[in-house]
Amino acid sequence: MNTTLLRTAGELHARTRVGRRAVVMTMGALHEGHATLIRTAREIAGRDGEVVVTVFVNPLQFGAGEDLDRYPRTLDADLKIAEDAGADAVFAPSVDEVYPGGEPQVRVSAGPMGERLEGASRPGHFDGMLTVVAKLLHLTRSDIALYGQKDAQQLALIRRMVRDLNFGVEIVGVPTVREDDGLALSSRNRYLAPKERRTALALSRALFAGRDRHAAQEALRARAREVPATHARAEALSALGESRAAADAHAVAKALPGAPSAVRAAARLILDDAARLDPPLALDYLALVDPSDFTEIEDDFTGEAVLAVAARVGTTRLIDNIPLTFGAAS
């Protein structure tokens, strides 16, 4: 497949469309995570559909002192990755094409949800992100847009914007792609020196420790549901030598409203250890949140949640997260 490079919205609009157009938005410096998004878009769009990859380093979502100037720009390599993954076109507009006349006076506001976690660490970032996503959705006239779950808060805000402002586009989240050592794929990983990378692995290890603690407690929750706390059942279990197991399961079940706290604690241990490494990991936040609004969940929470972490190693800031589901109490 030959992938066409387009520089203007006019060139994109002039293309003949038959099936649905699926768009993957990137800031370039494509890697296997992006390739996974593109391949997924190809599957969704089908043979008759069209896959468009946007490459645009959006100045609105970089704050003072952030890495806009040194953000990698590798368009030739990006074209090759996009082509190999099945993209029909790469739309790589200039800043003037996206923002004719300079920075836009009217922007999309991320609201309170955009002021938490990443928004608190990077004021204005999500307003800039949503503004360019809104513009690119209009410029590409997409039917489907795919985003990685690694940027969980970004994905949640895009979904909210599309729902709240009645965009006629389907939003698809694609699971995080990780390197063999567990580090979530990111264009910023290339900034890490070998020793910094070893420290950075604490992010994924912390998330996995929280996930493992969560899985153990959910297993105990399931065990407790299987063992009714009745006198007759306890006598029967005792006869089978299971009374202690039943008691333990029920004790854990009663304490289970503390499961989110236990998950946070398990992850925090790993991060605290990493803060003493050379070089150290400087934690920005560790949060266990409701993905509908990115507020911290309480210990009696049930449903979908996101365990998220952000930290700096040297001069490189990294984020990661995993989804968790807390079962209903018995």
Side-chain angles (χ1 to χ4, degrees):
M1 173 180 291
N2 293 322
T3 299
T4 303
L5 175 62
L6 307 171
R7 292 292 194 173
T8 69
E11 293 173 330
L12 182 57
H13 297 166
R15 291 175 64 85
T16 301
R17 295 180 60 171
V18 178
R20 296 190 299 171
R21 176 176 285 168
V23 171
V24 174
M25 296 183 186
T26 82
M27 292 204 299
L30 302 191
H31 50 62
E32 180 57 27
H34 298 109
T36 298
L37 285 167
I38 298 166
R39 287 192 292 268
T40 304
R42 180 80 273 160
E43 293 173 4
I44 292 173
R47 179 176 297 181
D48 295 332
E50 183 181 46
V51 174
V52 175
V53 176
T54 69
V55 174
F56 180 67
V57 181
N58 177 35
L60 296 191
Q61 65 195 72
F62 287 81
E66 293 190 334
D67 54 359
L68 173 61
D69 291 338
R70 72 166 184 155
Y71 196 87
R73 291 161 172 83
T74 57
L75 184 57
D76 289 342
D78 295 343
L79 281 167
K80 181 67 169 62
I81 291 173
E83 183 171 275
D84 290 346
D88 296 289
V90 168
F91 177 49
S94 66
V95 173
D96 288 339
E97 178 72 13
V98 178
Y99 302 121
E103 292 191 3
Q105 297 300 302
V106 177
R107 307 188 187 195
V108 178
S109 170
M113 184 175 170
E115 297 171 358
R116 301 174 185 128
L117 300 186
E118 284 299 292
S121 298
R122 306 175 67 189
H125 166 73
F126 284 128
D127 291 354
M129 179 276 294
L130 289 178
T131 298
V132 78
V133 167
K135 291 200 59 119
L136 289 173
L137 287 175
H138 291 312
L139 289 171
T140 61
R141 300 177 181 174
S142 53
D143 301 296
I144 310 154
L146 296 88
Y147 302 90
Q149 291 177 358
K150 185 181 82 69
D151 297 297
Q153 193 171 3
Q154 169 181 283
L155 174 58
L157 280 162
I158 292 170
R159 282 179 165 151
R160 191 67 185 242
M161 177 183 72
V162 165
R163 182 171 69 251
D164 288 355
L165 302 184
N166 302 103
F167 281 61
V169 60
E170 176 187 353
I171 303 300
V172 176
V174 178
T176 300
V177 178
R178 298 185 180 278
E179 300 193 40
D180 291 341
D181 57 10
L183 190 66
L185 280 173
S186 169
S187 301
R188 290 186 170 94
N189 290 354
R190 68 185 67 193
Y191 300 152
L192 296 169
K195 289 181 68 175
E196 292 174 335
R197 184 185 177 90
R198 286 194 290 274
T199 296
L201 293 177
L203 272 73
S204 57
R205 288 204 308 268
L207 296 178
F208 298 158
R211 179 193 62 192
D212 292 346
R213 177 63 60 86
H214 168 265
Q217 293 200 301
E218 288 295 318
L220 284 168
R221 182 196 292 270
R223 172 62 178 148
R225 285 199 296 265
E226 293 171 0
V227 186
T230 65
H231 182 70
R233 178 62 172 161
E235 287 183 345
L237 287 168
S238 181
L240 293 173
E242 296 183 12
S243 57
R244 177 59 183 273
D248 288 348
H250 280 295
V252 170
K254 289 180 180 178
L256 214 54
S261 293
V263 168
R264 292 185 186 94
R268 173 73 68 168
L269 283 174
I270 304 296
L271 298 170
D272 287 346
D273 286 343
R276 295 186 285 271
L277 296 176
D278 179 23
L281 182 139
L283 182 65
D284 188 342
Y285 61 76
L286 171 70
L288 185 54
V289 298
D290 182 338
S292 69
D293 59 8
F294 267 69
T295 57
E296 289 279 353
I297 65 173
E298 301 294 336
D299 280 347
D300 59 354
F301 179 86
T302 60
E304 300 294 322
V306 172
L307 180 61
V309 63
R312 191 174 296 276
V313 182
T315 59
T316 304
R317 188 175 183 276
L318 300 170
I319 63 173
D320 200 352
N321 71 85
I322 55 171
L324 300 173
T325 302
F326 290 85
S330 57

